[in-house]
Amino acid sequence: MQKTLTQPAARPGSHDLAIPHAEGVSNDEFKAAMSRLAAGVVLVTAHDPDDGPHGEDVGMTATAFLSVSLDPPLVLVSLRNDSRMDDLLAEVPVWAVSLLSESQRHIAGRFAMKGRVSDRLLFADVPYTRGPHSNAPLMGGALATLECRTESRVVAGDHTLVIGRVLATTLPSPEPGPLTYFRGRYRTLN
């Protein structure tokens, strides 16, 4: 027996919502549902050797980051299509990820800003070291850092899923608490 999907009855004032996709879920409804999924917060970084005489470091806050495989060690990060990081990782095969700690909310906010002109100022007063495999910034005080080499890229809607092989990791001691993102805000686990 075939099941027929029906649209729910319109709510008062629902004419103000975004027009639903063919499948029946609007952008606003999808974002509201997904905001209820708690996520870790990471800073994805790479070094652009072609930007200026010494190159430039680039960073981007992400919450769509996950482990894919143990053997080989693979991770996945989702990047908005045509973003600076997406364009850079299409050209530069190595990059890094810093899993941000609860004390790094200011870093997450700083690198999540839209429309910024240069990342050079964003890195100016942030403690970091340079990864030996990627030459990318690794944030001091992070829960962990990973250096990765792109294995594959998959375009998925308005994002590109970048799968990277983990080349190296660092773990601090003592271990701070994680920074999370839930319902549109950065949070800690207290």
Side-chain angles (χ1 to χ4, degrees):
M1 178 171 195
Q2 188 173 10
K3 200 177 208 179
T4 304
L5 298 176
T6 59
Q7 291 276 0
R11 296 181 304 259
S14 66
H15 61 280
D16 296 333
L17 294 177
I19 297 172
H21 295 279
E23 293 80 17
V25 178
S26 73
N27 291 350
D28 291 341
E29 290 168 326
F30 180 68
K31 286 166 75 175
M34 295 310 297
S35 76
R36 287 162 171 80
L37 177 64
V41 183
V42 302
L43 183 68
V44 180
T45 57
H47 183 75
D48 184 353
D50 297 329
D51 191 350
H54 303 290
E56 183 175 20
D57 295 323
V58 178
M60 181 199 88
T61 302
T63 56
F65 176 77
L66 59 113
S67 168
V68 173
S69 168
L70 183 60
D71 187 16
L74 299 174
V75 293
L76 177 148
V77 65
S78 180
L79 307 173
R80 186 176 28 84
N81 292 344
D82 301 320
S83 66
R84 184 168 184 200
M85 188 62 73
D86 179 38
D87 292 344
L88 181 57
L89 294 191
E91 300 295 323
V92 175
V94 289
W95 42 282
V97 177
S98 297
L99 283 61
L100 298 181
S101 69
E102 59 193 359
S103 66
Q104 294 177 312
R105 180 185 309 222
H106 66 289
I107 294 172
R110 177 184 292 192
F111 285 92
M113 291 187 307
K114 292 182 179 11
R116 59 185 190 259
V117 177
S118 170
D119 285 3
R120 193 175 319 270
L121 295 175
L122 300 180
F123 282 104
D125 62 348
V126 176
Y128 66 87
T129 59
R130 232 171 245 296
H133 301 278
S134 64
N135 199 32
L138 306 173
M139 295 298 105
L143 292 171
T145 61
L146 300 91
E147 289 186 89
C148 306
R149 182 184 66 236
T150 300
E151 291 280 309
S152 62
R153 297 170 55 84
V154 178
V155 175
D158 59 3
H159 278 65
T160 298
L161 308 177
V162 180
I163 299 172
R165 181 180 295 252
V166 179
L167 305 173
T169 63
T170 59
L171 303 170
S173 184
E175 182 180 328
L179 180 62
T180 60
Y181 193 72
F182 179 70
R183 296 193 76 164
R185 293 181 46 211
Y186 297 118
R187 301 177 190 253
T188 59
L189 291 183
N190 1 356

